[in-house]
Amino acid sequence: MTTTTVTPATGPAERAEPRTPARRGRRRAGNALASHVVLTVASLVALFPIAWLVFLSLGPDKDDYLHPGEIWGKMTFDNYSFVLQNTNFWEWLKSSLIVSLGTTVIGVMVAATTGYAVSRMRFPGYRKLMWVLLLTQMFPIAVLIVPMYQILSGLQLIDSYLGLVLVYCSTAVPYCAWLLKGYFDTIPFEIDEAGRVDGLSPFGTFFRLILPLARPGLAVAGFYSFITAFGEVAFASTFMLSDTKYTFAVGLQSFVSEHDAQRNLMAATAVLIAIPVSAFFYLVQKNLVTGLTAGGTKG
């Protein structure tokens, strides 16, 4: 009796066991296929505007964007030649690099010292300091332009690179301070203690021990500061009065006036603008990826 009752119960189960891995394999293959389809579509959506901009930059006429199909038969690089030879492109490039690199260096150093102080030191009001920095990010640009203009005018920094760099630092430092504070928290405090045992001052510990370990976080902060300064329009168009000191973002506006719009030259300039940003990204990409993922993997 025992044999006859056990055999029917175990038989179907034994026959069903080999089917489970096959079903799991089909499910995994289906999930992988769906993921690849979604990622492919997302990549095409992200790349389409860039490809469309490059395509429009090859049209010789300013109205080619209205009938893009005709560009295929008359593609040319004349727009790029005109922008490089007959506009203030190189002046815009110089101004953009001065402002962006200045913002990156000054902003990252200020943010790094602020983030390290809040991460390691317990002084009165250190928590409120970080919340005040976060609060400064909530004000819209339209509200900040007038008081900043008055301050820079009083300091005689209107139409100067230093004035624009300081304005951009006021935007980049709060976010970068929060970013680097979180990264410094992942560095063991024992490293600071080891530096003190070796006779290093707090500044020596910070510059010689902590900063080399925080290189990925510094790369993320630097890239954010560079992009913020490189592509900003409102502050640059308000505080920079000389056309030779325009940044790229402001220089693009010169191709569009009340009665004319040279869309083909604007598209070519936009493509050229992307080259310095791509080069900067290439230089920091290794540390950038590490810095973006470190916060989720370290305790």
Side-chain angles (χ1 to χ4, degrees), residues 7-24 26:
T7 303
T10 57
E14 293 176 353
R15 289 192 297 270
E17 286 179 358
R19 298 179 183 177
T20 303
R23 291 177 181 175
R24 291 178 179 176
R26 287 195 294 269

Side-chain angles (χ1 to χ4, degrees), residues 7 62 72 129 142 194 215 236-237 252 291 293 295:
T7 303
K62 61 183 179 180
W72 291 106
L129 172 62
R215 188 178 301 170
S237 60
L252 279 175
T293 59

Side-chain angles (χ1 to χ4, degrees), residues 230-279:
F230 199 85
E232 201 278 331
V233 179
F235 288 136
S237 60
T238 302
F239 301 141
M240 306 302 282
L241 307 179
S242 303
D243 56 354
T244 56
K245 292 185 178 180
Y246 285 166
T247 59
F248 272 137
V250 182
L252 279 175
Q253 297 179 353
S254 63
F255 295 113
V256 179
S257 62
E258 184 179 357
H259 304 288
D260 190 19
Q262 297 173 316
R263 308 282 183 182
N264 55 333
L265 300 180
M266 180 182 291
T269 307
V271 174
L272 294 173
I273 288 174
I275 296 177
V277 179
S278 302

Side-chain angles (χ1 to χ4, degrees), residues 61-73:
D61 300 326
K62 61 183 179 180
D63 295 327
D64 281 337
Y65 72 98
L66 297 175
H67 35 79
E70 299 180 3
I71 297 178
W72 291 106

